[in-house]
Amino acid sequence: MRLQNKVAIITGAASGMGQGEAIRFAKEGAKVVVADLNFEGAQAVAEEIKAAGGEAIAVSVNVMKTEDILNCIKVTEETFGPVDVLVNNAGVFDKYQKSLETTLDQWKFLIDINLTSMFEFCNAVLPSMIERQTGAIVNICSVAGLVAGKGGAAYTASKHGAIGYTKHLSSEYARYGIKINAICPGTIETPLVKDVLAGLSKEAVPTRTFGQVEEVADLAVFLASDEAKFMSGTAVTIDGGFTIQ
Ligand SMILES: NC(=O)c1ccc[n+]([C@@H]2O[C@H](COP(=O)([O-])OP(=O)(O)OC[C@H]3O[C@@H](n4cnc5c(N)ncnc54)[C@H](O)[C@@H]3O)[C@@H](O)[C@H]2O)c1
């Protein structure tokens, strides 16, 4: 197993990609913390993992709240031990709202959840990773962090920021044996995009398909595992070739 006994926090793990990552990480032997604002959903995912013989707990976390983040780390350490892997996956979408259509409150909400929470969660786990000279951080970004037109103003800015922040982290902390990388999914069939999916054409994607959560979970396992130890600060696309065009 590729993540045997690794302690992994996955944010936004009650649904979509986070859920897929939690289930896949547990199958690879990780002790998984299913962290989400939707506590009932997180509990259901943790129960599914345990029913399949894996180890997991659910923790109620609003990633916009510093105290929730610190509590999540505390509960994780008390239950499983220090954090080996952090997957910053929780995110919200702005359904392509243009800048002039975006209020300041909407902007701040998107940036808080998609970017600032990453900063706070990373700062909370980095000291222990530096001390132990090991760890992995996987930041779920987006092709909207690479090109325009895959989100609205705030979403695009938040994901570009998240990729830049990932590069910064790598340049400063990779030297301590910490693997820090970003995943940039294209359109993946999850509840996040269900309202906009009908308006998107598979013809715009070279593979003529949308992605599935399991495919992103496989990539996250790889980046969290020692197989990726020479990968650092990269923004890996998983988008059916969308961004090559
Ligand atoms: N689905 C796509 O096509 C796509 C493409 C590129 C990137 N992404 C990114 O992937 C990540 C996961 O998206 P998804 O499609 O699986 O979405 P999803 O809506 O299925 O799941 C997101 C999860 O995040 C949780 N969440 C939202 N706000 C939170 C908060 N404040 N605190 C804690 N948890 C919170 C939700 O409860 C939910 O369980 C997001 O960062 C998203 O931006 C998605």
Side-chain angles (χ1 to χ4, degrees), residues 79-144:
T79 312
F80 292 138
V83 181
D84 296 303
V85 182
L86 169 66
V87 182
N88 281 307
N89 166 84
V92 284
F93 190 49
D94 62 3
K95 298 186 185 168
Y96 309 102
Q97 253 177 288
K98 296 173 192 166
S99 190
L100 288 174
E101 298 162 353
T102 306
T103 66
L104 183 57
D105 281 348
Q106 288 170 331
W107 172 272
K108 286 181 174 170
F109 180 73
L110 255 287
I111 300 289
D112 263 7
I113 295 180
N114 291 0
L115 180 57
T116 310
S117 76
M118 228 175 235
F119 158 74
E120 287 213 275
F121 245 114
C122 288
N123 276 359
V125 300
L126 276 167
S128 154
M129 288 183 175
I130 291 168
E131 197 184 320
R132 291 179 297 125
Q133 300 272 302
T134 186
I137 294 174
V138 181
N139 289 332
I140 307 299
C141 297
S142 171
V143 292

Side-chain angles (χ1 to χ4, degrees), residues 15 17 36-37 61-63 89 141 155 159 185-186 188 190-192:
S15 167
M17 275 182 254
D36 206 293
L37 186 61
V61 182
N62 181 348
V63 298
N89 166 84
C141 297
Y155 190 78
K159 295 298 186 180
I188 311 294
T190 73
L192 186 81

Side-chain angles (χ1 to χ4, degrees), residues 2-3 21 24-25 28 216-225:
R2 293 149 81 196
L3 300 175
E21 287 150 8
R24 185 77 174 81
F25 273 45
E28 291 291 346
V216 180
D218 283 344
L219 177 56
V221 165
F222 170 69
L223 290 176
S225 76

Side-chain angles (χ1 to χ4, degrees), residues 169-241:
L169 286 177
S170 167
S171 73
E172 293 296 336
Y173 302 111
R175 73 195 70 171
Y176 301 107
I178 307 168
K179 295 180 295 279
I180 304 159
N181 291 288
I183 292 179
C184 298
T187 302
I188 311 294
E189 292 187 55
T190 73
L192 186 81
V193 293
K194 69 176 187 316
D195 296 344
V196 298
L197 214 50
L200 301 176
S201 168
K202 288 182 181 167
E203 293 303 304
V205 188
T207 55
R208 301 293 188 264
T209 56
F210 295 141
Q212 303 303 314
V213 296
E214 294 78 10
E215 292 160 338
V216 180
D218 283 344
L219 177 56
V221 165
F222 170 69
L223 290 176
S225 76
D226 286 341
E227 291 159 37
K229 67 178 184 297
F230 196 50
M231 292 189 68
S232 195
T234 52
V236 185
T237 55
I238 175 160
D239 66 351

